[in-house]
Amino acid sequence: MNSTFIPQEFHYRLHWRARTARPGGHPTRTAGGAADFRGYVPFMQNPNPRHIDLRASLRSVPHQLMVRSYHERGAIAVVAIVDLSASMHFAGASEKRELAADIAASIAWSATRGGDAFGLIACDDSLRGDLFEPLSSRRGVAAEVRDKLMQSTPLAKGANALPLAASQLRAKRSLVFLISDFHLEESLITQTITSLAAHDVVPLVLWDSAEYEDLPKWGWARVSDMETGGERSLFLRPRLTEQIKSAYAERRARIVTLCKQAGARTPFFIQDKFNAELLTRHLLEAH
Amino acid sequence: MNHFLQNAGFELPGWLLLLPLALLPLLLRGHAEFPYPAIANLPMDTLSLWLERAWRACGALAIAAIVMGLSSPFWGEQTIERIGRGAHIMIVLDRSASMNDDFANQPADGSASKMAAARRVLQDFVSKSREDLLGMVIFSTSPILVAPLGGDREAVLAALSATEAGGMGFTAVARGLAMALDYYENKPVTGARAVLLVSDGAAHLDSKTQDTLRVMFKKQGASLYWIYLRSAGGASLKDKPEEGQEDAYPEYALHQYFASLGVNYKAYEAENPQAVALAMADIAQLKNLPVRYQEAASRHDLSGFFYLLACLCSCALLALHLTEIRQWKVPA
């Protein structure tokens, strides 16, 4: 387990205005600053002589002195919620837990670089207090978070505490990255995202190519479910591998539908390797 | 099916105690498995499902078949109805001294003892009867077994040749017959049973011996043919002796006793070698009555079948094992 931390920075953009007093890079509802034009207001509402607009003053009826008002730019809280159920310990083309740790660290890195606070909540069947990272803007938080996740020991099978993660968040709208493989029951997915309705949720779906794409071509294999312990016999052959692929394509579409229905952003699917550039593109494009 | 089960059984049923071992493949989960994040996403595949079931069934069947094989099951010991064609003939030959005498009617071309005539005819008879089982007992004072009932004609012929040495002693008819009948004991009735008594005289049988012989004849179901070589001056079987003179004619008493046995009995009174030959020809006709009898077919050992089944199951298991994937991740 190589724990050298190579930070990958991605950029994110909000399509909502944050309520924050902390200076930062995101649009807020707070009046002030000189970046986001908000509108014209009477001088007495914003008595800043540097923003007096003569044209707006002349346009006003009855005439009064108008000034340009702006929205402040502020910092937000960025939280990574990590699913640590047994299935997240799958190792195929890559180790899912390592991938999750990398992504969490990358989020922490990107957030703190942008002046935002970062916090980590890990869940299995209970909230993992030992892995909890309160909101902070410390510089070293990314590496710390990565080490924490890499050194965590699996304690439970499921991910039933995911809906409880919302209780660990502050009431103000935050940007929440939900890192999971989404091999969960549909009701749990919906419940989790619904519980985070106050926040801007970006589901990050971790899938491994060994799960459904790079399957052995021929042969008989028995697989056991990492969470439920159930068994399945698979006589792999081209027809079955096609079926598995199409089942995963369906599952993918289903996850997208569920997330969007529950009010989250379009999920971002990560296979084997985390590419921050692609995530940036996804976050800047999709809503 | 019922008939089949009635005739089936196990040689070593103790091994069957191991039969519950066959449940192991159905219950145990010791095989290699690949961890998979969520099997709920995998499509249900009928072929794979049945392959798994077949794998378990093969394992169970292989163990069950080996246990069955070890317990040596058999099927059979059934009885088959057959129709016997040959006869089982015990020749009971008198070798008393009187056999050396001539016949009553002297032949023109020289002397021929009764023994010589009987020998010649019997040798001829033995050589011709290919389908029959033959045995021979000779008796004088006491009976001597010459050849037990079987296919060994050489022994019988040799015994007949040996009678050239000449006879001696008395006539123990009853003991000779009893010994002959003893050789039918515990033999399957695959043909008509006939006791061929060749003698020239008789002896008085006491009532106890009579009863014993009667029981033995009944039990063995043997026919009796008596070739009575009448001596010169000997009494005929047909002539009833005068009142009070019965003891002087034991032949007649014996004839009466044989007739009362309740089995197939026929007496031939031969006064010359030609008559003996005729009597033998007659007997050769009579003895070939077909006989229905039940024969126990040898049982079939089924363990080979079970071992074959176990072998086939093991082969199937091996084949399945060979198709198993060793490595889930395809090396890049």
Side-chain angles (χ1 to χ4, degrees), chain A residues 20-36:
Chain A
T20 174
R22 227 181 110 105
H26 301 287
T28 65
R29 293 179 183 278
T30 321
D36 297 346

Side-chain angles (χ1 to χ4, degrees), chain B residues 82-228:
Chain B
R82 293 240 168 110
I83 295 175
R85 299 201 32 83
H88 296 181
I89 301 172
M90 285 302 290
I91 300 168
V92 183
L93 183 60
D94 187 356
R95 281 205 64 191
S96 59
S98 59
M99 285 292 278
N100 299 339
D101 298 346
D102 286 354
F103 277 102
N105 297 343
Q106 188 79 31
D109 54 349
S111 143
S113 72
K114 287 183 278 187
M115 178 57 82
R119 180 167 62 237
R120 202 174 54 246
V121 175
L122 283 174
Q123 274 171 342
D124 198 34
F125 174 76
V126 168
S127 316
K128 276 181 185 165
S129 58
R130 283 286 138 213
E131 279 189 321
D132 304 327
L133 295 185
L134 291 171
M136 187 164 167
V137 171
I138 56 176
F139 66 91
S140 51
T141 308
S142 61
I144 301 166
L145 171 69
V146 171
L149 195 64
D152 194 354
R153 278 169 184 73
E154 295 303 317
V156 179
L157 287 172
L160 283 171
S161 304
T163 54
E164 285 179 20
M168 52 187 281
F170 306 103
T171 309
V173 181
R175 291 172 65 192
L177 286 175
M179 184 183 240
L181 287 170
D182 261 351
Y183 285 94
Y184 289 124
E185 190 72 41
N186 296 328
K187 286 262 169 64
V189 188
T190 58
R193 288 174 166 180
V195 176
L196 186 58
L197 174 64
V198 182
S199 80
D200 65 339
H204 178 74
L205 306 183
D206 59 36
S207 64
K208 195 179 169 192
T209 316
Q210 283 188 8
D211 286 346
T212 315
L213 269 184
R214 194 189 304 279
V215 168
M216 286 181 84
F217 265 106
K218 277 260 162 79
K219 191 178 169 196
Q220 305 302 345
S223 313
L224 178 63
Y225 300 103
W226 184 14
I227 298 178
Y228 174 51

Side-chain angles (χ1 to χ4, degrees), chain A residues 87 90-92 96 183 210-211 214-216 218-226 230-237 240 243-244 247-248 251, chain B residues 29 31-52 55-56 320-321 323-325 327-330:
Chain A
S87 62
F90 178 72
K96 261 192 198 181
H183 292 318
E211 274 176 59
D214 292 340
L215 294 172
W218 284 94
W220 186 39
R222 266 76 59 86
V223 293
S224 64
D225 195 305
M226 297 173 82
E231 278 182 19
R232 189 70 70 82
S233 145
L234 292 176
F235 189 73
L236 291 168
R237 54 197 190 280
L240 185 59
Q243 279 181 356
I244 292 174
Y248 266 82
R251 176 77 183 162
Chain B
R29 310 221 165 273
H31 51 79
E33 287 179 325
F34 296 104
Y36 194 80
I39 58 169
N41 293 341
L42 294 171
M44 289 300 284
D45 184 48
T46 325
L47 176 66
S48 309
L49 191 71
W50 281 102
L51 210 62
E52 165 88 13
W55 178 70
R56 291 200 180 279
L320 277 177
H321 176 69
T323 65
E324 269 194 276
I325 292 169
Q327 199 180 8
W328 182 263
K329 280 174 275 186
V330 181

